[in-house]
Amino acid sequence: MKDGLSALYVSNDDSTFTYGTSDASASYYYVTMRFEEKVYNVSFDWQCTGGENSYDYASVMLLETAIDLTALTDNNFPTAVQTFISQKSKVGNNSNPWNTYSDELDMHGRAGVYKFVVAWRNDGSKGDQTPFAIDNISIIVNSCPRPEISVSSV
């Protein structure tokens, strides 16, 4: 994994970083979180060097808590409140597979309880190893958000 000994990753046997390329499936992990009307810094490291372009993909998103993830299938990812990544093609290579996502999440007017979801979908037609992994997830209140500046005339 990127840093340390563990990360969240797709596995077809609960221990190795591989998936069944001929098995159609959708899987997910989520944690329920309360957000205040603040700006948050969201960052994580991720990789998706395998899969199959445009068919096997991962999504990291914020969902309403009422969405039932047990009904998630390979064809019906839900509409997200916020999508951080929706990766529908291979990125990187085995010598440098990790990417970093980092951005602000503005929850003004959207305070409440949400599911932070990591989901994987593969269609079962074919694919390459390795699937999707995510590490070093950080969601913290931004103590110094970007200021909003408006100019009336120049």
Side-chain angles (χ1 to χ4, degrees):
M1 304 297 61
K2 184 158 193 308
D3 297 315
L5 300 174
S6 61
L8 181 64
Y9 57 90
V10 173
S11 176
N12 62 348
D13 65 5
D14 295 329
S15 64
T16 59
F17 185 27
T18 59
Y19 77 113
T21 58
S22 60
D23 301 321
S25 67
S27 55
Y28 61 90
Y29 166 85
Y30 77 92
V31 61
T32 303
M33 303 178 68
R34 177 175 303 282
F35 289 90
E36 299 174 16
E37 289 201 23
K38 295 184 177 186
V39 176
Y40 294 80
N41 290 330
V42 177
S43 65
F44 51 85
D45 297 315
W46 64 278
Q47 70 166 284
C48 190
T49 57
E52 175 189 7
N53 287 338
S54 300
Y55 297 103
D56 300 344
Y57 62 92
S59 190
V60 180
M61 57 197 151
L62 201 61
L63 298 177
E64 299 283 348
T65 55
I67 293 176
D68 179 13
L69 293 173
T70 60
L72 184 70
T73 69
D74 62 345
N75 292 320
N76 75 335
F77 271 29
T79 302
V81 171
Q82 176 78 35
T83 300
F84 302 106
I85 64 167
S86 184
Q87 191 58 47
K88 296 184 180 180
S89 62
K90 301 176 196 181
V91 172
N93 55 55
N94 288 332
S95 64
N96 186 20
W98 288 98
N99 303 278
T100 299
Y101 174 91
S102 181
D103 204 354
E104 289 185 342
L105 171 64
D106 187 348
M107 294 303 290
H108 287 101
R110 303 189 297 175
V113 178
Y114 295 90
K115 292 177 182 174
F116 179 83
V117 179
V118 177
W120 167 260
R121 173 242 195 237
N122 56 289
D123 70 337
S125 65
K126 62 180 179 175
D128 298 318
Q129 302 297 340
T130 56
F132 182 77
I134 187 169
D135 201 359
N136 303 318
I137 300 169
S138 173
I139 303 173
I140 58 173
V141 173
N142 185 339
S143 60
C144 186
R146 284 180 256 180
E148 291 187 29
I149 300 172
S150 61
V151 177
S152 57
S153 65
V154 178

